[in-house]
Amino acid sequence: MTKKVLYTDFEGVDFVIADMLENKDIKKAITKSNLYRFWKKVVGEKFAEKSKPYSMVGAGVMVIACQNSIVAQELNIQKRMLIEKFTPYLKSLKITLKDLRFDCKKWQEYNEK
């Protein structure tokens, strides 16, 4: 005769998700992911195809992978305006963005991800 095992100590999915969201690293990754989704709205259709958020470094510096140096230069000229356009999104996500860095070398790495 086999012994019947009752599984009554399961946690609900809502508790598991809530517990995961308390993890600082997961919170940070979700916040960055949400911020990166706004890139197309901030930069516009033309540059969204030729540049992508790559990473956050230091205290509030976003690295942008650019298809080529021309795109990087154009975006660098618009840097101040881009940061201003990001402001409403940054406030809602409680993120500080102090600078944007445009890097053509990261474009290849981005496309390999």
Side-chain angles (χ1 to χ4, degrees):
M1 184 166 145
T2 59
K3 189 174 185 181
K4 189 173 183 181
V5 178
L6 299 176
Y7 295 99
T8 57
D9 289 343
F10 283 125
E11 287 187 11
V13 173
D14 52 340
F15 291 111
V16 173
I17 291 172
D19 194 39
M20 286 176 55
L21 291 176
E22 291 302 314
N23 181 312
K24 283 173 58 176
D25 292 332
I26 292 175
K27 267 186 180 177
K28 192 184 293 186
I30 291 169
T31 302
K32 279 195 253 182
S33 175
N34 287 332
L35 181 61
Y36 293 174
R37 289 181 191 174
F38 295 124
W39 180 248
K40 186 175 184 178
K41 290 181 181 182
V42 171
V43 79
E45 189 87 29
K46 177 182 173 185
F47 286 109
E49 298 297 318
K50 299 174 182 178
S51 63
K52 306 285 181 202
Y54 183 80
S55 66
M56 292 291 286
V57 295
V61 178
M62 184 187 293
V63 177
I64 308 298
C66 297
Q67 190 176 39
N68 56 50
S69 60
I70 296 167
V71 172
Q73 183 63 32
E74 283 288 325
L75 292 174
N76 198 44
I77 291 168
Q78 299 178 36
K79 184 190 301 190
R80 203 175 283 214
M81 180 194 66
L82 294 173
I83 292 173
E84 284 178 28
K85 281 184 165 183
F86 253 127
T87 301
Y89 306 115
L90 297 167
K91 285 182 181 178
S92 69
L93 296 171
K94 298 176 184 169
I95 295 179
T96 302
L97 180 65
K98 295 179 182 175
D99 196 15
L100 297 171
R101 289 194 189 145
F102 305 101
D103 191 336
C104 301
K105 294 175 187 172
K106 301 292 185 198
W107 185 256
Q108 182 72 25
E109 292 174 34
Y110 179 84
N111 289 315
E112 290 173 359
K113 280 185 177 181

